[in-house]
Amino acid sequence: MPRVAGQPALPLTTDDGAPVVVRRSARRRRTVAAFWEDGNAVVAIPAHFTKAQESEWVRRMLDKLKLQGERRTQSAGRRRPASDAALAVHASVLSSKYLGGRAIPTSVRWVSNQKSRWGSATPADGTIRLSDKLRAMPQWVIDYVLLHELAHLLVGGHNAAFWRLLEAYPETQRAKAFLEGVVFASSRGLGPDDNGADAPARDWDADAD
């Protein structure tokens, strides 16, 4: 619908709803750049650009950011964050993109002793632990669990405010369904038994083991 003259422009967002910030710089003569910062998609352009040039380059750079994100997601599926250090870096990226960088864990670790949870977080000290049973699962499932625990650093319980934090992640409902399917299969004896891995988690908890 066309905008009425004099009516304020609606805030610009990416396809997945992230705010877009356009920065004009007098020092920037020809080059244009785009990057993520505190949950915002930032497009830096020369100060002399016309509104038409701004609109065109913002569109191009947002398309480029989207493509880069898709490539990183595909790459992540091949090269999972195997070490605790890599997992911590990945958590920082997810926090910045989906939680505005507000969730800042003090440590993120893979653990093998979680017998009833996919992940756990302790808001008091900012620590997060992920079950190593997740390692064999798709990256988008791992990302959901990690984001779930990051969100618990901001909201302790599973109230409406907590679930709103996860709305920005497009795979939330798909990942929840995937994990529920794993639990169902395990409960029917279709997954690992007691001689292998422990049964998957049946509920979430922000507390540590």
Side-chain angles (χ1 to χ4, degrees):
M1 183 174 66
R3 184 165 57 90
V4 177
Q7 180 180 346
L10 294 175
L12 184 61
T13 62
T14 63
D15 288 346
D16 57 6
V20 176
V21 176
V22 179
R23 290 182 184 167
R24 287 176 173 263
S25 172
R27 292 184 297 178
R28 188 178 290 275
R29 304 304 302 169
R30 296 182 179 179
T31 60
V32 178
F35 51 91
W36 288 98
E37 181 181 274
D38 297 331
N40 299 318
V42 179
V43 180
I45 63 174
H48 63 79
F49 268 17
T50 65
K51 283 295 183 181
Q53 287 176 310
E54 174 184 322
S55 178
E56 172 64 17
W57 278 101
V58 166
R59 181 189 63 77
R60 289 188 189 184
M61 299 311 286
L62 290 182
D63 286 345
K64 183 177 180 180
L65 275 182
K66 181 179 180 181
L67 181 59
Q68 288 175 344
E70 292 171 349
R71 287 174 176 171
R72 279 196 297 269
T73 299
Q74 294 169 358
S75 177
R78 296 189 295 270
R79 298 192 301 275
R80 302 173 187 276
S83 68
D84 290 348
L87 192 62
V89 170
H90 192 57
S92 177
V93 171
L94 292 176
S95 176
S96 177
K97 184 171 183 179
Y98 297 107
L99 300 174
R102 292 178 294 151
I104 306 175
T106 56
S107 70
V108 187
R109 298 183 294 119
W110 292 106
V111 296
S112 58
N113 62 350
Q114 297 210 121
K115 301 184 182 302
S116 61
R117 306 172 190 172
W118 296 117
S120 61
T122 306
D125 61 14
T127 57
I128 289 176
R129 294 152 300 283
L130 295 190
S131 170
D132 60 5
K133 301 178 190 66
L134 290 165
R135 290 178 183 267
M137 297 186 186
Q139 186 62 42
W140 48 270
V141 175
I142 298 173
D143 287 357
Y144 164 71
V145 176
L146 187 49
L147 273 168
H148 190 115
E149 302 310 329
L150 285 166
H152 271 314
L153 298 183
L154 305 175
V155 178
H158 292 103
N159 55 21
F162 172 82
W163 290 111
R164 279 197 296 271
L165 292 175
L166 295 177
E167 288 177 353
Y169 183 57
E171 302 293 352
T172 289
Q173 296 306 320
R174 182 184 177 202
K176 288 174 65 177
F178 181 96
L179 293 172
E180 288 169 359
V182 173
V183 171
F184 179 85
S186 177
S187 69
R188 297 300 187 276
L190 302 177
D193 56 27
D194 292 337
N195 294 322
D198 296 313
R202 284 164 174 75
D203 54 15
W204 293 93
D205 196 332
D207 300 326
D209 289 334

